[in-house]
Amino acid sequence: MALSVSERTFTQEVLQSPIPVLVNFEAPWCGLCRLIHPLLFQFQAQCSEQIKLVGVNADDNFKLANTYRLKSLPTLLLVENGIVRHRLEGFRGKEDLRLALEEIKLTYNNRSQTYSNLRAVEQECRSA
């Protein structure tokens, strides 16, 4: 289950997070929002160490919805170091979202491998 974030906890959980955060802006009345939950939970299970998933009820958090200029729901924002890196909105269905999530997953899996390789090289240099 995704962590539910509000205006009160957004800065700590999203903007100050040490890892990238996929923010799912949704509302209880949004049918497509409910439809994409299984894809998001699958994404979370596959990427939980590289990317955190949180949910924001746009109806209850109007300031956040306004700040990020939401035009439609669901809207997904990938936030890294307090900066929006990707914005997913207006997708036509589950397949569009699945492809977008795969692209994000590949980007961050590759980045994670690069960081691991850099750490290994640093350790080799220190021990030499």
Side-chain angles (χ1 to χ4, degrees), residues 40-55:
L40 292 175
F41 292 137
Q42 180 181 7
F43 177 82
Q44 181 183 26
Q46 294 170 346
C47 299
S48 63
E49 293 184 17
Q50 291 100 1
I51 300 173
K52 177 167 64 170
L53 175 66
V54 301

Side-chain angles (χ1 to χ4, degrees), residues 25-27 29-30 32-33 56 58-59 70-75 90-91:
F25 284 95
E26 58 186 352
W29 50 264
C30 173
L32 184 55
C33 298
V56 176
D59 288 345
L70 301 185
K71 297 175 187 158
S72 64
L73 295 178
T75 293
F91 40 88

Side-chain angles (χ1 to χ4, degrees), residues 105-120:
K105 184 170 41 171
L106 286 173
T107 299
Y108 283 91
N109 282 344
N110 290 341
R111 190 176 292 180
S112 178
Q113 290 171 355
T114 300
Y115 290 148
S116 295
N117 292 341
L118 287 174
R119 282 189 216 119

